[in-house]
């Protein structure tokens, strides 16, 4: 999750330098494809999708709900829950 740390650190640095809150930062730069924040989140999305085996065409909310229901059932049965690992 080094990319998550990098994204978080960059976001914090930008908020501090601009004296903005997180909402103002995201409203200004999140949808701007040339911004560093946009690029970092694109890379983070790709990494997360790979870790969960999702594709760009997946309905991510539906897939997360399905995964959540599966994990709830696994937990209900007393089985250990193991999260995804970073892709190679």
């Amino acid at each position: 999750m080094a990319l998550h740390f990098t994204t978080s650190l960059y976001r914090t640095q930008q908020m501090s330098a601009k004296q903005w809150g997180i909402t103002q930062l995201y409203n200004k730069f999140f949808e701007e494809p040339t911004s560093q924040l946009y690029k970092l989140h694109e890379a983070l999305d790709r990494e997360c999708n790979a870790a969960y085996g999702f594709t760009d065409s997946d309905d991510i909310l539906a897939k997360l709900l399905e995964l959540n229901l599966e994990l709830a059932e696994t937990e209900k049965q007393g089985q250990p829950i193991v999260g995804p690992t970073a892709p190679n």
Side-chain angles (χ1 to χ4, degrees), residues 41-57:
H41 272 282
E42 284 287 306
L44 186 58
D45 287 349
R46 284 191 303 275
E47 195 173 276
C48 289
N49 283 346
Y52 284 98
F54 297 164
T55 66
D56 290 340
S57 63

Side-chain angles (χ1 to χ4, degrees), residues 6-67:
T6 301
T7 303
S8 180
L9 181 61
Y10 177 80
R11 181 180 58 219
T12 300
Q13 290 169 339
Q14 292 301 305
M15 287 169 38
S16 179
K18 294 173 177 26
Q19 293 297 297
W20 288 354
I22 195 166
T23 300
Q24 192 173 7
L25 181 71
Y26 275 82
N27 284 346
K28 184 73 174 171
F29 293 107
F30 189 67
E31 296 296 331
E32 178 58 48
T34 60
S35 77
Q36 183 65 13
L37 185 61
Y38 181 94
K39 292 173 185 175
L40 286 168
H41 272 282
E42 284 287 306
L44 186 58
D45 287 349
R46 284 191 303 275
E47 195 173 276
C48 289
N49 283 346
Y52 284 98
F54 297 164
T55 66
D56 290 340
S57 63
D58 285 336
D59 177 344
I60 300 300
L61 293 178
K63 296 288 267 185
L64 288 173
L65 176 60
E66 179 183 323
L67 179 60

